[in-house]
Amino acid sequence: GVQWVEIATNSGNLMVACCYLPPKHVKEDDWFELLESEIIQAQKKGAVIVGGDFNARVREAADFPPATCQGEPHGLVCMASNTARKSVDKGVSVDERARRLLRMCVATDMRVGNGRLLGDVPAAVTSVGHGGGVNRAASTSVVDLFLLCPRAIQMATQLQVQPARLGGSDHNSVT
């Protein structure tokens, strides 16, 4: 599911969403289509940040079209939001869910903040799960992602992953 919060700031409204997509979601395409629609609506109200556990390993794959900045009047915004990301999550290939998430980013002009924002280069491990069950080896991954529109990237000062886990979670805290 997705939960939205609208925050009034001196720089305008900030639309923040928190979401969770279970590892095995039957109607995944519907979920992404709904989120994409909600992001487009939220962008009409202000800067947008979407954070959550997408259970998708995007690694360092592109989240914007290569020619995005050509002729762009806001060069500094474009430069900051179109820098390549770095990630420690190199063990697993980009799967179909991650590709779907990246296509949504391109369609909505959102960027993955992990591995791009100060304090998280390269993107730190956000999940220290058990690889799908207690009898399997522990796995580490970057599946808790923060998507930002270019205006929100300008507002963001840093992203930090902390090894503090609350309530027995297998996910690290992110500030």
Side-chain angles (χ1 to χ4, degrees), residues 20-97:
Y20 173 67
L21 182 59
K24 306 280 188 211
H25 194 274
V26 178
K27 297 188 179 196
E28 196 167 290
D29 281 338
D30 292 344
W31 191 89
F32 276 110
E33 285 176 18
L34 179 60
L35 180 59
E36 183 174 318
S37 173
E38 290 179 1
I39 288 171
I40 290 167
Q41 290 305 309
Q43 288 172 329
K44 294 175 183 175
K45 295 182 173 186
V48 177
I49 298 175
V50 178
D53 183 354
F54 289 91
N55 281 297
R57 293 174 124 173
V58 297
R59 299 182 47 198
E60 295 175 0
D63 54 359
F64 60 90
T68 301
C69 288
Q70 292 179 353
E72 173 71 37
H74 307 290
L76 292 177
V77 174
C78 206
M79 187 170 48
S81 64
N82 289 354
T83 55
R85 292 175 291 107
K86 300 291 182 205
S87 178
V88 297
D89 199 6
K90 300 180 189 293
V92 175
S93 63
V94 175
D95 63 5
E96 182 52 37
R97 175 179 284 195

Side-chain angles (χ1 to χ4, degrees), residues 93-120:
S93 63
V94 175
D95 63 5
E96 182 52 37
R97 175 179 284 195
R99 285 190 289 276
R100 178 64 181 93
L101 175 85
L102 293 166
R103 285 193 303 271
M104 183 194 72
C105 286
V106 169
T108 59
D109 198 29
M110 298 290 282
R111 304 293 186 267
V112 177
N114 305 63
R116 178 177 278 133
L117 297 173
L118 183 65
D120 192 47

Side-chain angles (χ1 to χ4, degrees), residues 139-163:
S139 64
T140 59
S141 59
V142 181
V143 295
D144 303 299
L145 302 172
F146 293 85
L147 313 178
L148 301 92
C149 72
R151 285 187 294 162
I153 286 177
Q154 279 189 305
M155 297 165 70
T157 57
Q158 66 181 358
L159 177 78
Q160 290 188 327
V161 178
Q162 307 291 332

